[in-house]
Short mmCIF file of all heavy atoms in Angstrom, two decimals:
data_model
loop_
_atom_site.label_atom_id
_atom_site.label_comp_id
_atom_site.label_asym_id
_atom_site.label_seq_id
_atom_site.Cartn_x
_atom_site.Cartn_y
_atom_site.Cartn_z
N LEU A 625 20.20 -1.06 -8.17
CA LEU A 625 21.55 -1.42 -7.77
C LEU A 625 21.77 -1.33 -6.26
O LEU A 625 22.32 -2.24 -5.64
CB LEU A 625 22.56 -0.51 -8.48
CG LEU A 625 24.03 -0.91 -8.43
CD1 LEU A 625 24.25 -2.20 -9.19
CD2 LEU A 625 24.90 0.20 -9.00
N VAL A 626 21.30 -0.24 -5.64
CA VAL A 626 21.59 -0.03 -4.22
C VAL A 626 20.35 0.22 -3.36
O VAL A 626 20.42 0.25 -2.13
CB VAL A 626 22.56 1.17 -4.03
CG1 VAL A 626 23.88 0.88 -4.68
CG2 VAL A 626 21.96 2.47 -4.58
N GLY A 627 19.18 0.41 -3.98
CA GLY A 627 17.98 0.67 -3.20
C GLY A 627 18.05 1.98 -2.44
O GLY A 627 18.73 2.92 -2.85
N HIS A 628 17.36 2.07 -1.30
CA HIS A 628 17.45 3.25 -0.46
C HIS A 628 18.74 3.21 0.36
O HIS A 628 19.32 2.15 0.57
CB HIS A 628 16.26 3.31 0.50
CG HIS A 628 14.94 3.53 -0.18
ND1 HIS A 628 14.09 2.49 -0.49
CD2 HIS A 628 14.33 4.65 -0.62
CE1 HIS A 628 13.02 2.96 -1.10
NE2 HIS A 628 13.14 4.27 -1.19
N PHE A 629 19.19 4.37 0.80
CA PHE A 629 20.33 4.39 1.70
C PHE A 629 20.07 5.39 2.82
O PHE A 629 19.29 6.33 2.67
CB PHE A 629 21.64 4.70 0.97
CG PHE A 629 21.67 6.00 0.22
CD1 PHE A 629 22.06 7.17 0.85
CD2 PHE A 629 21.32 6.06 -1.11
CE1 PHE A 629 22.11 8.36 0.17
CE2 PHE A 629 21.36 7.26 -1.80
CZ PHE A 629 21.75 8.41 -1.16
N THR A 630 20.69 5.14 3.97
CA THR A 630 20.49 5.99 5.14
C THR A 630 21.65 6.95 5.30
O THR A 630 22.79 6.66 4.91
CB THR A 630 20.36 5.14 6.41
OG1 THR A 630 21.56 4.39 6.61
CG2 THR A 630 19.19 4.19 6.31
N LEU A 631 21.35 8.10 5.89
CA LEU A 631 22.37 9.11 6.18
C LEU A 631 22.43 9.29 7.69
O LEU A 631 21.44 9.63 8.33
CB LEU A 631 22.02 10.43 5.50
CG LEU A 631 21.96 10.40 3.96
CD1 LEU A 631 21.52 11.74 3.41
CD2 LEU A 631 23.31 10.01 3.38
N GLU A 632 23.62 9.05 8.26
CA GLU A 632 23.81 9.09 9.71
C GLU A 632 24.92 10.07 10.08
O GLU A 632 26.05 9.93 9.60
CB GLU A 632 24.16 7.70 10.23
CG GLU A 632 24.44 7.65 11.71
CD GLU A 632 24.93 6.30 12.16
OE1 GLU A 632 25.25 5.46 11.29
OE2 GLU A 632 25.01 6.07 13.39
N PRO A 633 24.62 11.07 10.91
CA PRO A 633 25.68 11.98 11.36
C PRO A 633 26.76 11.23 12.14
O PRO A 633 26.45 10.39 13.00
CB PRO A 633 24.93 12.96 12.27
CG PRO A 633 23.51 12.87 11.85
CD PRO A 633 23.31 11.45 11.43
N SER A 634 28.02 11.49 11.82
CA SER A 634 29.14 10.84 12.49
C SER A 634 30.27 11.84 12.71
O SER A 634 30.40 12.81 11.96
CB SER A 634 29.66 9.66 11.66
OG SER A 634 28.64 8.73 11.40
N MET A 635 31.09 11.60 13.73
CA MET A 635 32.27 12.42 14.00
C MET A 635 33.53 11.63 13.64
O MET A 635 33.73 10.51 14.11
CB MET A 635 32.32 12.81 15.47
CG MET A 635 31.17 13.72 15.91
SD MET A 635 31.21 15.36 15.13
CE MET A 635 32.70 16.03 15.87
N ILE A 636 34.36 12.20 12.76
CA ILE A 636 35.61 11.58 12.36
C ILE A 636 36.72 12.61 12.56
O ILE A 636 36.77 13.63 11.88
CB ILE A 636 35.57 11.11 10.90
CG1 ILE A 636 34.41 10.11 10.68
CG2 ILE A 636 36.90 10.45 10.51
CD1 ILE A 636 34.25 9.65 9.27
N ASP A 637 37.62 12.32 13.54
CA ASP A 637 38.72 13.24 13.86
C ASP A 637 38.21 14.65 14.16
O ASP A 637 38.78 15.66 13.73
CB ASP A 637 39.73 13.29 12.71
CG ASP A 637 40.40 11.94 12.48
OD1 ASP A 637 40.53 11.18 13.47
OD2 ASP A 637 40.78 11.65 11.33
N GLY A 638 37.10 14.71 14.89
CA GLY A 638 36.57 16.00 15.31
C GLY A 638 35.77 16.73 14.24
O GLY A 638 35.31 17.84 14.47
#
Side-chain angles (χ1 to χ4, degrees):
L625 193 66
V626 297
H628 293 97
F629 58 88
T630 61
L631 298 176
E632 177 186 11
S634 303
M635 295 295 293
I636 302 177
D637 297 330

